[in-house]
């Protein structure tokens, strides 16, 4: 495919179009695109940025991009908003905030949302990350809005996860429940200029201390004032330290292996289900039989578990 060739050469226009194709699951072309892309991935470093809305994620991403560009690195930014019905670069807020980078050829920014993601948003995000990787970006920043399961799944595709909190982002316990503490490689306490920032740092220190399990990586807590560009260099330094630690311990290879394995499982699962459903659709007798079973389940004449077993048995599965 010609367009994929252009992506591999770093053409941002082609990149934009291929991402749209991947997002839209365009005419079964996604598998073909991903097959061509795959030999060219693995060079980009992936940084996930997550945390409650309003904590300062976009501002931090914006400032980090400046530092990275100063180093001459090519950067891709994906902003994922699972709650938004828009897709294809329509998150107005991000656009305005990131405006200064739009004229910079070395920065590629893309917003993603729920529409057109048959395999689920995490799956689509994972494909978009790969396309960016293959296009020659050195760093890919993936920012997610919110703190749901979807965000956690997206973060599985990254190498360093920044969890951004602010004194205003509410209940620390709530964040803990949302599973953010388990995935953090670096805690960023943003809005350090606001009252309560120190208390939040102490809370997190205590929580990290309680958790114990000393691994090879000591999770740092970095205080930032993103709007004032304070603490961003230190944050970048900690990201680099984490990268070195992952590299040195072989953990990066392990994470990538795990990612590939999971992707294989998910893709196979999706393809099996698709094929199975198609064969059910094509078999009139079987379709009618399943229709009757659903009828019975609805009326409560048979429980859903026995019904599912019965259907599988009738299909010799
Ligand atoms: P996101 O929803 O997590 O992406 O948060 P944003 O980056 O959109 O920031 C939310 C608001 O907090 C914006 O109005 C920012 O200007 C503001 N903000 C970001 N960083 C700081 C900071 O360090 N201090 C203060 N006081 N405000 C900040």
């Amino acid at each position: 495919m010609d367009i994929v060739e252009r992506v591999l050469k770093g053409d941002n226009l082609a990149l934009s179009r291929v991402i749209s194709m991947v997002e839209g699951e365009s005419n079964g072309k996604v598998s073909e695109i991903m097959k061509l892309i795959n030999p060219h991935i693995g060079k980009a470093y992936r940084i996930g940025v997550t945390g409650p809305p309003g904590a300062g994620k976009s501002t931090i991403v914006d400032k980090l991009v400046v530092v990275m560009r100063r180093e001459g690195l090519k950067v891709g930014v994906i902003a994922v908003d699972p709650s938004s019905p828009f897709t294809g670069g329509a998150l107005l807020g991000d656009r305005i905030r990131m405006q200064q980078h739009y004229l910079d050829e070395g920065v590629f920014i893309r917003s993603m949302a729920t529409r057109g993601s048959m395999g689920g948003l995490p799956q689509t995000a994972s494909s978009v990350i790969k396309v960016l990787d293959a296009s020659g970006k050195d760093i890919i920043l993936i920012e997610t809005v919110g703190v749901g399961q979807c965000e956690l799944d997206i973060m599985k595709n990254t190498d360093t996860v920044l969890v951004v909190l602010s004194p205003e982002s509410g209940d620390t316990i709530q964040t803990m429940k949302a599973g953010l503490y388990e995935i953090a490689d670096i805690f960023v306490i943003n809005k350090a200029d606001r009252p309560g920032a120190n208390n939040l740092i102490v809370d997190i220190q205590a929580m990290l201390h309680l958790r114990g399990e000393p691994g090879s990586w000591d999770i740092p807590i970095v205080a930032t004032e993103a709007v004032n560009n304070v603490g961003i260099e230190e944050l970048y330094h900690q990201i680099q330290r984490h990268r070195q630690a992952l590299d040195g311990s072989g953990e990066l290879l392990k994470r990538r292996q795990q990612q590939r394995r999971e992707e294989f499982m998910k893709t196979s699962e999706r393809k099996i289900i698709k094929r199975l459903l198609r064969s059910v659709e094509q078999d009139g007798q079987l379709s009618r039989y399943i229709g009757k079973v659903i009828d019975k389940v609805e009326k409560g004449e048979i429980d859903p578990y026995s019904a599912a077993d019965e259907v599988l048995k009738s299909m010799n599965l």
Side-chain angles (χ1 to χ4, degrees):
M1 255 197 272
D2 217 29
I3 190 150
V4 174
E5 280 301 317
R6 282 171 53 204
V7 168
L8 296 179
K9 286 189 185 123
D11 177 340
N12 277 349
L13 209 65
L15 179 58
S16 218
R17 282 188 44 208
V18 166
I19 291 179
S20 295
M21 287 159 97
V22 168
E23 278 189 318
E25 311 258 333
S26 165
N27 312 327
K29 279 198 194 123
V30 182
S31 272
E32 200 185 331
I33 292 171
M34 296 319 292
K35 277 179 206 168
L36 293 169
I37 291 283
N38 225 52
H40 306 277
I41 60 168
K43 288 183 221 93
Y45 196 74
R46 305 158 179 191
I47 302 166
V49 184
T50 190
K57 298 178 295 294
S58 304
T59 316
I60 286 171
V61 166
D62 184 26
K63 306 289 182 192
L64 276 175
V65 169
V66 175
V67 177
M68 291 160 179
R69 288 301 292 145
R70 220 182 286 143
E71 304 231 319
L73 299 169
K74 286 199 213 104
V75 186
V77 178
I78 311 172
V80 191
D81 185 355
S83 60
S84 165
F86 303 111
T87 188
L91 300 182
L92 192 61
D94 291 319
R95 296 219 130 190
I96 291 169
R97 250 193 304 268
M98 301 291 285
Q99 222 165 28
Q100 58 161 320
H101 302 301
Y102 269 90
L103 295 173
D104 182 350
E105 279 276 306
V107 183
F108 182 90
I109 300 163
R110 181 77 177 206
S111 299
M112 292 180 59
T114 39
R115 200 163 62 88
S117 49
M118 250 169 67
L121 199 51
Q123 175 81 27
T124 313
S126 150
S127 303
V128 173
I129 290 171
K130 285 191 180 148
V131 177
L132 279 171
D133 187 341
S135 81
K137 305 289 176 262
D138 300 298
I139 305 265
I140 302 169
L141 285 149
I142 303 106
E143 177 193 336
T144 58
V145 181
V147 286
Q149 182 58 45
C150 186
E151 283 84 349
L152 297 183
D153 284 344
I154 290 170
M155 288 299 134
K156 281 189 193 153
N157 290 298
T158 64
D159 303 316
T160 296
V161 177
L162 312 182
V163 171
V164 182
L165 302 173
S166 81
E168 299 160 345
S169 58
D171 202 343
T172 329
I173 305 282
Q174 209 54 41
T175 323
M176 184 145 62
K177 274 198 201 140
L180 286 183
Y181 285 83
E182 280 85 57
I183 60 165
D185 295 307
I186 297 171
F187 275 107
V188 185
I189 307 304
N190 189 42
K191 305 195 187 184
D193 53 312
R194 289 285 167 91
N198 278 335
N199 287 346
L200 183 55
I201 291 174
V202 171
D203 276 358
I204 290 171
Q205 271 167 345
M207 188 275 308
L208 287 176
H209 188 69
L210 268 179
R211 196 168 63 172
E213 38 174 298
S216 55
W217 174 249
D218 241 342
I219 301 171
I221 304 171
V222 183
T224 57
E225 281 174 45
V227 273
N228 302 320
N229 217 1
V230 174
I232 302 297
E233 292 278 351
E234 169 61 14
L235 176 57
Y236 185 56
H237 171 67
Q238 293 295 346
I239 293 169
Q240 285 174 311
R241 273 193 59 227
H242 184 242
R243 182 177 186 170
Q244 281 156 9
L246 282 185
D247 260 336
S249 63
E251 179 71 19
L252 188 59
L253 276 180
K254 234 165 72 189
R255 282 192 189 197
R256 293 273 162 97
Q257 273 171 0
Q258 174 82 15
Q259 284 160 10
R260 284 197 285 267
R261 191 189 130 129
E262 234 175 77
E263 186 163 18
F264 162 70
M265 301 299 279
K266 289 255 166 68
T267 308
S268 308
E269 220 171 76
R270 251 192 16 251
K271 287 192 182 230
I272 289 169
I273 289 174
K274 228 171 166 179
R275 192 156 297 179
L276 213 58
L277 288 177
R278 200 179 311 140
S279 64
V280 169
E281 271 165 27
Q282 283 164 354
D283 184 335
Q285 199 182 349
L286 185 59
S287 296
R288 279 191 296 279
Y289 166 69
I290 293 176
K292 275 185 200 147
V293 173
I294 293 174
D295 223 34
K296 280 193 198 164
V297 171
E298 280 177 355
K299 287 181 184 145
E301 288 169 14
I302 181 170
D303 73 276
Y305 301 91
S306 313
D309 282 343
E310 214 170 275
V311 167
L312 287 181
K313 212 163 137 196
S314 76
M315 293 169 77
N316 293 320
L317 293 170

